[in-house]
Amino acid sequence: MQIRLNKYISESGIASRRKSEELITQGRVVVNNKIVSDLSFKIDIEHDVVEVDGEKISPRRHLYFVLNKPKGFITSTSDEKKRNTVVELIKTKEKIFPVGRLDYNTTGVLLLTNDGDFANFLTHPKRRVPREYEVWLDRMLEEEDQKKLLKGIYIDGKKGVFAEVKFPNKKNRKLVNVVGEEGRNHFVKNMFRTLGYTVNGLNRKSFAGIKAEIPLGAYRSLTKDEITKVIAAYEK
Ligand code: URA
């Protein structure tokens, strides 16, 4: 299989895609004993030997996890305030990072990977990947407000909308299931806050159709089938 040299370098984990391009143009990359400074150069991953600054590199294995995030973990790879981070919950030596984010006290489905292309693919706003949430409100959601959430309301001058607003229990309008298709920070809380509600609890039930179906704090690898299906579903 052939891939671009800069992609191969970034997938080895030693540099970002941009930094990899710099390494190439600086003449620090050698393929089969020859310096390559052409950014469009493609290599055969099975046969070519790639060295950066004299060290042989090889691409990493891609990892894909789904975590059922518990409360009290920050969705980040490190935290200056020394709070617990979601990556600490996953036992791997590889450098993985979360796909999008959930607030400190939000629970539920969070994907983690070391595949930057996969993460960018799913979080790109144009894909409008669905995120399904269970929301516990401070008071019953009025019918008029349910309609507004479905029609769209403005948050910081930008329209936000839910694709679905449903009640799993018809008698309890404080518990609402919503589907949003964007990853703005605090999106669900801000949608409700704009209409005068406080979100007391938030749980993400699925992301891009992927469910966790494991206890809080547990994680599992995504199956090959889940990965292929999710890419096929949003590749447009
Ligand atoms: N929207 C929020 O407000 N918080 C989350 O954690 C996720 C979506």
Side-chain angles (χ1 to χ4, degrees):
M1 191 175 88
Q2 294 223 319
I3 67 166
R4 280 172 80 109
L5 184 55
N6 65 333
K7 186 163 193 247
Y8 184 89
I9 300 170
S10 64
E11 288 191 355
S12 77
I14 66 157
S16 65
R17 195 71 80 84
R18 246 197 61 205
K19 188 85 214 307
S20 304
E21 289 186 355
E22 279 175 30
L23 292 170
I24 297 169
T25 51
Q26 287 165 356
R28 293 161 67 184
V29 180
V30 167
V31 180
N32 304 333
N33 295 318
K34 277 201 199 103
I35 292 180
V36 172
S37 48
D38 172 6
L39 287 178
S40 63
F41 194 87
K42 283 196 174 155
I43 62 145
D44 175 342
I45 57 173
E46 274 99 45
H47 302 107
D48 292 339
V49 176
V50 181
E51 290 165 84
V52 175
D53 292 337
E55 297 271 337
K56 189 173 169 237
I57 60 162
S58 44
R60 284 168 309 176
R61 205 163 47 100
H62 278 150
L63 299 171
Y64 306 91
F65 298 105
V66 54
L67 167 73
N68 191 359
K69 180 192 172 296
K71 285 187 179 183
F73 285 81
I74 180 159
T75 303
S76 171
T77 50
S78 64
D79 183 43
E80 58 203 21
K81 293 191 210 149
K82 300 256 182 297
R83 285 174 296 182
N84 295 318
T85 69
V86 287
V87 292
E88 290 161 15
L89 291 166
I90 301 202
K91 289 188 185 65
T92 174
K93 290 202 185 90
E94 295 291 332
K95 272 196 187 150
I96 53 164
F97 47 85
V99 178
R101 76 187 117 194
L102 288 178
D103 294 336
Y104 188 66
N105 279 331
T106 298
T107 57
V109 171
L110 182 68
L111 304 188
L112 296 107
T113 182
N114 58 358
D115 181 350
D117 289 341
F118 180 75
N120 291 338
F121 177 87
L122 287 182
T123 52
H124 195 292
K126 79 170 183 199
R127 296 223 161 71
R128 304 191 63 82
V129 157
R131 290 107 161 137
E132 189 187 1
Y133 297 91
E134 269 176 308
V135 190
W136 286 268
L137 295 174
D138 60 334
R139 62 191 171 90
M140 291 196 278
L141 182 65
E142 289 166 30
E143 216 166 307
E144 226 170 88
D145 290 332
Q146 182 183 7
K147 285 186 190 140
K148 285 183 191 164
L149 292 167
L150 287 164
K151 198 157 169 258
I153 52 178
Y154 281 84
I155 307 171
D156 299 329
K158 190 170 171 256
K159 196 171 175 183
V161 65
F162 286 144
E164 267 180 46
V165 179
K166 289 186 173 159
F167 302 97
N169 173 355
K170 297 275 171 289
K171 289 192 191 126
N172 180 9
R173 292 181 66 99
K174 279 178 157 183
L175 173 60
V176 193
N177 280 2
V178 301
V179 176
E181 294 175 334
E182 62 165 283
R184 259 190 286 175
N185 242 355
H186 313 306
F187 179 63
V188 174
K189 289 177 190 162
N190 286 340
M191 286 287 281
F192 284 103
R193 186 174 300 139
T194 304
L195 297 177
Y197 298 83
T198 301
V199 169
N200 289 333
L202 189 57
N203 176 55
R204 184 152 74 190
K205 293 173 71 179
S206 69
F207 179 90
I210 296 170
K211 295 183 177 173
E213 290 170 332
I214 44 178
L216 273 179
Y219 65 92
R220 64 175 176 85
S221 290
L222 290 187
T223 62
K224 280 229 168 69
D225 198 41
E226 281 176 312
I227 298 165
T228 322
K229 275 198 182 138
V230 82
I231 291 173
Y234 300 105
E235 211 165 30
K236 278 170 219 143

